[in-house]
Amino acid sequence: MNIKQLEYFVGLSQTLNFTKTAQNFYISQTAITKQIQCLEKDLGIPLFKRSKKSVELTNEGILYLPYARKILDDVALSYQIIEEYQKGNQGSISIGFIKSLDDELLLKLLKKIKDHFPHIDLHYKAYSRLELLQLFKERKLDAIITFEYSEIKDENHLLLKKCHLRKYYHQDCSLDSLKLIYDVRQESMEHDEIEQTLLKVCLKEGYAIIHDFIESNQYSKYLQYQDLDIISPIYLYYHKDSANKILKNILQLIEKG
């Protein structure tokens, strides 16, 4: 059995005419007849009833027809999947992002990727700074979304957003009377969750230096802030020599805006 024999069988089941089927496949009637006979011999069943006036499917042929069609559909699908994979529209990609990232930015970006490439297997997860950079260095992540760090400054990157840093403090307090309890730029403080930090600020335990996109947080309405003249860009970093075609398509999507 081979794919061509199945194609001839399905084609003949539609026309029930050897001459028309041969014409449809641009081969001789003798070749069609021979291939159908080979398929019948291989299956051990008659597929057609032949007479001088007509050609009909046998009961065995009727039974086997949907399976032959499914095989051909699966073969066509396999070629399509390979073609989509080669174009970078099929396969998998792993993206990591820093825990304190802008939720709105992340959700919009992931939705955009999924909408444009619905057939890719997209893996994404939040990490602490040390975990994120280590996994990226070990190439366990195809790309990472994070702030600007010296450890990855030489890696290729695309700008996603520019954020400002702010000093957040309780509205009933003065900055002069508060100590710094959290600075998003300091690695030693990175495990302090933003929610926990803002709660401490609300309890007048001190002030925190955080990105301006935190204003969407539920605690922010209880806080005052002072803008700092510091821009903290968010980048998508990727390896210079990456051969992942999905990643290249995603980069083009981001560059188009």
Side-chain angles (χ1 to χ4, degrees):
M1 179 195 305
N2 58 51
I3 299 302
K4 281 297 180 183
Q5 290 172 350
L6 293 178
E7 289 177 347
Y8 299 152
F9 166 57
V10 173
L12 184 55
S13 73
Q14 294 170 340
T15 65
L16 296 177
N17 186 295
F18 279 89
T19 301
K20 288 183 180 179
T21 303
Q23 290 173 347
N24 290 340
F25 286 102
Y26 301 99
I27 61 174
S28 68
Q29 181 177 332
T30 302
I32 286 285
T33 301
K34 183 177 179 180
Q35 291 300 316
I36 293 296
Q37 288 173 344
C38 289
L39 180 59
E40 289 176 321
K41 182 178 179 181
D42 186 47
L43 294 173
I45 56 173
L47 297 172
F48 294 95
K49 298 176 184 177
R50 305 165 178 85
S51 70
K52 292 182 179 180
K53 294 183 178 180
S54 66
V55 176
E56 297 179 9
L57 278 166
T58 63
N59 290 335
E60 294 90 340
I62 294 172
L63 178 67
Y64 185 66
L65 182 58
Y67 295 98
R69 284 176 171 158
K70 185 176 186 307
I71 292 171
L72 293 177
D73 288 344
D74 287 343
V75 170
L77 179 60
S78 70
Y79 281 112
Q80 181 182 348
I81 289 173
I82 293 300
E83 183 180 356
E84 291 298 306
Y85 174 78
Q86 292 173 335
K87 291 179 180 177
N89 298 328
Q90 191 89 28
S92 64
I93 187 170
S94 297
I95 298 177
F97 55 92
I98 197 74
K99 282 185 175 180
S100 54
L101 193 66
D102 182 352
D103 291 339
E104 184 179 357
L105 169 68
L106 181 64
L107 291 174
K108 285 184 177 179
L109 180 59
L110 293 177
K111 183 180 185 303
K112 190 173 185 179
I113 293 172
K114 289 181 178 180
D115 288 346
H116 281 77
F117 307 106
H119 300 299
I120 69 170
D121 190 8
L122 178 62
H123 302 274
Y124 52 91
K125 185 178 178 181
Y127 298 94
S128 67
R129 172 180 168 176
L130 292 178
E131 290 176 313
L132 188 68
L133 298 184
Q134 184 63 32
L135 290 172
F136 185 63
K137 181 179 178 181
E138 295 173 355
R139 292 181 174 265
K140 293 179 180 178
L141 293 172
D142 296 298
I144 58 174
I145 302 172
T146 185
F147 308 108
E148 189 175 32
Y149 297 129
S150 59
E151 297 94 323
I152 52 175
K153 64 179 182 179
D154 295 328
E155 293 290 349
N156 280 11
H157 55 273
L158 282 179
L159 177 66
L160 298 180
K161 183 178 181 180
K162 289 183 179 179
C163 307
H164 284 84
L165 294 183
R166 287 174 174 172
K167 290 181 179 179
Y168 281 90
Y169 57 98
H170 194 278
Q171 56 191 10
D172 295 334
C173 299
S174 168
L175 276 174
D176 297 334
S177 62
L178 296 173
K179 63 179 180 178
L180 175 63
I181 59 172
Y182 180 83
D183 188 339
V184 73
R185 298 166 296 177
Q186 296 183 22
E187 183 178 333
S188 60
M189 294 183 174
E190 70 169 313
H191 295 295
D192 194 354
E193 297 294 336
I194 296 298
E195 288 281 334
Q196 181 181 348
T197 298
L198 292 177
L199 179 59
K200 289 181 180 180
V201 175
C202 284
L203 294 173
K204 304 180 182 181
E205 293 187 22
Y207 73 91
I209 297 177
I210 308 174
H211 296 97
D212 56 7
F213 56 75
I214 207 66
E215 64 188 6
S216 60
N217 187 278
Q218 60 176 331
Y219 292 110
S220 297
K221 61 184 177 182
Y222 302 110
L223 304 175
Q224 295 274 33
Y225 65 83
Q226 181 184 99
D227 280 319
L228 300 177
D229 190 23
I230 300 175
I231 295 176
S232 180
I234 300 175
Y235 292 111
L236 183 144
Y237 288 89
Y238 58 98
H239 301 289
K240 292 180 180 179
D241 58 349
S242 175
N244 192 314
K245 292 185 179 180
I246 297 174
L247 176 59
K248 292 179 180 179
N249 285 344
I250 290 174
L251 294 175
Q252 291 178 358
L253 179 66
I254 296 173
E255 288 175 333
K256 289 179 181 178

